[in-house]
Amino acid sequence: MSVKMARPLSLIFLHMIHRVSAADWAVNYSFPHICALKDSSVIMSCTYTYPTGHQIRKAYWTKDPVKAVEPTDLSVDPEYSQRLQYLGDEQQNCTVRLSHVTEKDEHKYYFRFNTDKIEGRWLGSPGVTLNIPDIQLESPERVKEGDSVRLTCRSSCELTDTPTFIWYRNSHTLTEGTIGDKLILNPVRREDAGRYRCAVHGHTLTSPEVYLNVTYPPKSVSVSISGSAVIMSGDSVTLSCSSDSNPPAEIHWFKGKTYIGSERIFNISKISSDDSGEYKCKTRNDHGGKYSYPVTLDVQYPPRNVSVSINGSAVIMSGDSVSLMCISDSNPPALNFSWFKENQSSAVGSGQSFSAVQSGRFYCEAHNPHGAQRSDAVTVTVKGRPLILHISIGVGCGAAVVIMMLLIWMQKRNDTVELQNQSRLHHESSNKFTDPVYENVKTNPSRPHHDSGDDMTDPVYENVEISEADLIRSAVHC
Ligand SMILES: *[C@@H]1O[C@H](CO)[C@@H](O)[C@H](O)[C@H]1NC(C)=O
Ligand SMILES: *[C@@H]1O[C@H](CO)[C@@H](O)[C@H](O)[C@H]1NC(C)=O
Ligand SMILES: *[C@@H]1O[C@H](CO)[C@@H](O)[C@H](O)[C@H]1NC(C)=O
Ligand SMILES: *[C@@H]1O[C@H](CO)[C@@H](O)[C@H](O)[C@H]1NC(C)=O
Ligand SMILES: *[C@@H]1O[C@H](CO)[C@@H](O)[C@H](O)[C@H]1NC(C)=O
Ligand SMILES: *[C@@H]1O[C@H](CO)[C@@H](O)[C@H](O)[C@H]1NC(C)=O
Ligand SMILES: *[C@@H]1O[C@H](CO)[C@@H](O)[C@H](O)[C@H]1NC(C)=O
Ligand SMILES: *[C@@H]1O[C@H](CO)[C@@H](O)[C@H](O)[C@H]1NC(C)=O
């Protein structure tokens, strides 16, 4: 059947003359299509027949014959001469070997023979088509983490011998998941992303590299703060949000719950205490979103707005005290305070509160590790009883004591006189019945009266006694 296709016209002519059956002239190629790896040796198996009575004059291989042009013998072609080896014979075996094949050898090869007879020229169709395949790695361009992925190593023609494939990721040989011409990653992990290629064991043939892009939602989202550990008011602070995601995530910054920006880096130049708070970033891509842990910015500053607060009135009575409090806004809170009295160089007190007992203008100074600030002064007035009042009280007391003493003395004197008068009357009235006892009484007139007065207290005398105690007390007061 091959004869029909490629038999040269001359041969047809000859056959017609000699009425030779087509079966007499034949070339049989065992493998009309050969797919061979680069650098390998190819054996083109071939048998041929020709009518008896012919003698082979020339048997050779040629390629890509052109009609009506005598085919060239490859064994004289410098491209082939070194690599072509005829393994056949002059009877029926026309097998040939071509070594170190390359892409340049991709042609159609034919066996050609000539016999001693003029009509004995034969070109065996359909020839042998030689393909030198390359290999390609077929892989989805992009896969989602967790999916099942199949990579296939394909050659552009079906290799006659099933080769052993070798797989590489980022130039490292892979052994797991390889089945024949397939590499199965199930489930695919993000670490599986990389440059893949496959190769044929024992050959230099290797596929081009294919990047396997494994996409995944953001993971390990974190915020980092540039600069020193202690943030001072006025510093420049850079917050950066980092996340591991593929494709890269969109970033959203939040302070508390308020959205504040969408750059990967969030800059705060000249930070102020208003910028203190919790910051976090949210990262999102097609596969999901994730928040970072919040970071707290604690903006520190020296004491400010220092003032003195007075508990109660700043006007106090002598002997009382007023409590002054040093109020300050500072971060970290001020723990060290000093109190001063205006126009006195040394401190008059320490501690957040101070008890003022003197008049004067007082101010405090609040300290924290970043500095100190003083307050405005407050005036404390101590109102004593005025000096003139003291004197008048003193004089008054003295006078009172003197007057009292005088009164008591006078009272006592009156009493005695009165008693004497009474006893004299008594004596005169009892003159009628003179009694020796009464006589005795006479000598000490006040005595019996006093004795008899034991049961009934003399009101005058009692009053005097009370007044005396009072006087002593008021004198002490004075
Ligand atoms: C060609 O060879 C094959 C196997 O070698 C054989 O089966 C076939 O019959 C042969 N054909 C001819 C025309 O000789
Ligand atoms: C042809 O010759 C080669 C090499 O000697 C041999 O391997 C092959 O078997 C032979 N083919 C036939 C059909 O005899
Ligand atoms: C992977 O695919 C994503 C989505 O198209 C793309 O944004 C990203 O750049 C790719 N990664 C690489 C390393 O090519
Ligand atoms: C943030 O500040 C850094 C350093 O000052 C600067 O390099 C960067 O460009 C700034 N980024 C933005 C988004 O302003
Ligand atoms: C505190 O001081 C700052 C300036 O130092 C001022 O802007 C702010 O209004 C003050 N706050 C109060 C409550 O006085
Ligand atoms: C004022 O002093 C009283 C008594 O010591 C105390 O209970 C109160 O809390 C103080 N008030 C202020 C504002 O300091
Ligand atoms: C408080 O501050 C003053 C002034 O800076 C300093 O002399 C003193 O040692 C401080 N006291 C304490 C307990 O820190
Ligand atoms: C403190 O001294 C200043 C001048 O140095 C003076 O003007 C002020 O009246 C003084 N204050 C007091 C309470 O003495």
Side-chain angles (χ1 to χ4, degrees):
M1 67 293 183
S2 56
V3 176
K4 267 182 202 164
M5 287 164 70
R7 184 192 289 168
L9 284 172
S10 58
L11 285 181
I12 294 169
F13 180 66
L14 286 170
H15 289 175
M16 283 166 71
I17 294 171
H18 293 271
R19 301 179 189 280
V20 236
S21 84
D24 292 340
W25 298 88
V27 176
N28 191 352
Y29 302 105
S30 306
F31 304 105
H33 292 281
I34 294 180
C35 177
L37 294 168
K38 190 181 174 218
D39 283 333
S40 64
S41 290
V42 173
I43 291 185
M44 300 185 224
S45 296
C46 166
T47 54
Y48 67 109
T49 57
Y50 51 91
T52 47
H54 285 257
Q55 292 256 311
I56 297 298
R57 280 276 179 266
K58 195 164 195 241
Y60 62 96
W61 283 79
T62 187
K63 64 170 189 183
D64 306 333
V66 178
K67 265 185 192 173
V69 175
E70 181 61 18
T72 54
D73 181 355
L74 288 179
S75 63
V76 298
D77 182 335
E79 291 271 316
Y80 288 90
S81 56
Q82 298 298 308
R83 299 186 290 131
L84 199 67
Q85 191 182 3
Y86 187 69
L87 304 174
D89 53 30
E90 300 206 335
Q91 278 83 51
Q92 52 163 0
N93 194 335
C94 48
T95 301
V96 74
R97 178 164 62 198
L98 180 62
S99 340
H100 300 296
V101 292
T102 66
E103 290 85 346
K104 283 193 202 159
D105 298 328
E106 289 194 318
H107 294 286
K108 259 189 150 180
Y109 295 92
Y110 294 83
F111 178 62
R112 165 79 172 177
F113 65 93
N114 298 341
T115 65
D116 56 345
K117 306 248 166 33
I118 184 87
E119 73 277 18
R121 295 158 177 265
W122 194 263
L123 186 73
S125 284
V128 173
T129 307
L130 177 62
N131 280 310
I132 310 298
D134 48 16
I135 55 173
Q136 298 290 339
L137 199 158
E138 283 181 4
S139 139
E141 203 176 303
R142 201 170 297 126
V143 293
K144 192 173 179 296
E145 185 179 43
D147 286 355
S148 173
V149 178
R150 170 186 297 217
L151 308 185
T152 308
C153 199
R154 277 203 204 293
S155 59
S156 49
C157 58
E158 202 174 324
L159 287 161
T160 317
D161 305 315
T162 308
T164 306
F165 290 103
I166 310 167
W167 293 85
Y168 298 94
R169 177 177 61 225
N170 301 333
S171 304
H172 296 293
T173 314
L174 295 174
T175 48
E176 268 176 52
T178 57
I179 302 166
D181 60 350
K182 302 210 182 341
L183 172 66
I184 291 164
L185 304 168
N186 184 25
V188 65
R189 300 159 305 158
R190 74 183 66 178
E191 301 84 53
D192 293 330
R195 293 170 285 110
Y196 284 84
R197 71 187 163 87
C198 62
V200 177
H201 184 72
H203 292 268
T204 54
L205 187 64
T206 173
S207 75
E209 277 189 335
V210 169
Y211 185 79
L212 180 68
N213 191 338
V214 181
T215 60
Y216 50 91
K219 304 254 163 82
S220 48
V221 184
S222 68
V223 171
S224 61
I225 307 170
S226 73
S228 59
V230 174
I231 298 166
M232 283 295 295
S233 167
D235 284 357
S236 280
V237 173
T238 299
L239 300 178
S240 59
C241 180
S242 64
S243 80
D244 178 17
S245 72
N246 190 16
E250 278 177 23
I251 289 178
H252 297 287
W253 282 99
F254 294 89
K255 183 187 176 206
K257 295 202 158 147
T258 312
Y259 166 79
I260 50 169
S262 60
E263 298 282 327
R264 198 181 72 77
I265 289 180
F266 185 72
N267 272 347
I268 309 171
S269 56
K270 292 211 159 197
I271 199 163
S272 82
S273 54
D274 294 342
D275 296 314
S276 287
E278 276 196 346
Y279 290 78
K280 62 190 169 199
C281 69
K282 184 186 186 181
T283 61
R284 163 167 284 285
N285 71 6
D286 299 341
H287 305 296
K290 194 170 176 16
Y291 279 101
S292 69
Y293 283 112
V295 296
T296 302
L297 290 192
D298 179 33
V299 182
Q300 304 203 342
Y301 47 91
R304 62 189 188 195
N305 298 352
V306 180
S307 64
V308 174
S309 143
I310 304 174
N311 190 358
S313 169
V315 181
I316 51 166
M317 296 306 286
S318 164
D320 288 348
S321 68
V322 62
S323 173
L324 307 180
M325 242 344 222
C326 193
I327 310 290
S328 75
D329 174 15
S330 58
N331 188 16
L335 295 175
N336 185 355
F337 300 89
S338 314
W339 289 90
F340 296 91
K341 193 171 177 189
E342 216 169 59
N343 295 356
Q344 264 186 32
S345 56
S346 56
V348 294
S350 64
Q352 192 167 12
S353 65
F354 172 71
S355 196
V357 293
Q358 290 175 306
S359 286
R361 285 175 54 72
F362 294 93
Y363 62 86
C364 69
E365 203 172 71
H367 303 258
N368 81 355
H370 305 300
Q373 202 185 36
R374 64 159 62 173
S375 68
D376 288 338
V378 295
T379 306
V380 171
T381 310
V382 177
K383 274 200 174 157
R385 293 167 184 89
L387 191 60
I388 187 81
L389 192 65
H390 275 278
I391 292 163
S392 63
I393 287 170
V395 167
C397 282
V401 169
V402 169
I403 289 161
M404 282 296 207
M405 298 273 227
L406 213 64
L407 280 173
I408 290 163
W409 178 78
M410 279 167 70
Q411 198 104 41
K412 275 194 170 173
R413 224 182 137 248
N414 284 353
D415 281 358
T416 316
V417 168
E418 210 166 297
L419 280 171
Q420 278 173 351
N421 289 346
Q422 271 178 4
S423 53
R424 207 169 291 139
L425 280 170
H426 210 87
H427 185 79
E428 277 167 37
S429 63
S430 61
N431 269 349
K432 310 159 206 170
F433 44 91
T434 311
D435 185 300
V437 177
Y438 267 101
E439 286 286 329
N440 286 344
V441 171
K442 238 184 197 171
T443 51
N444 195 354
S446 61
R447 230 8 235 258
H449 194 89
H450 267 265
D451 286 346
S452 61
D454 274 349
D455 51 344
M456 48 173 285
T457 321
D458 187 329
V460 177
Y461 198 80
E462 211 191 331
N463 283 347
V464 169
E465 270 189 348
I466 289 162
S467 295
E468 262 177 350
D470 275 351
L471 275 173
I472 290 154
R473 250 178 260 138
S474 51
V476 166
H477 274 272
C478 287

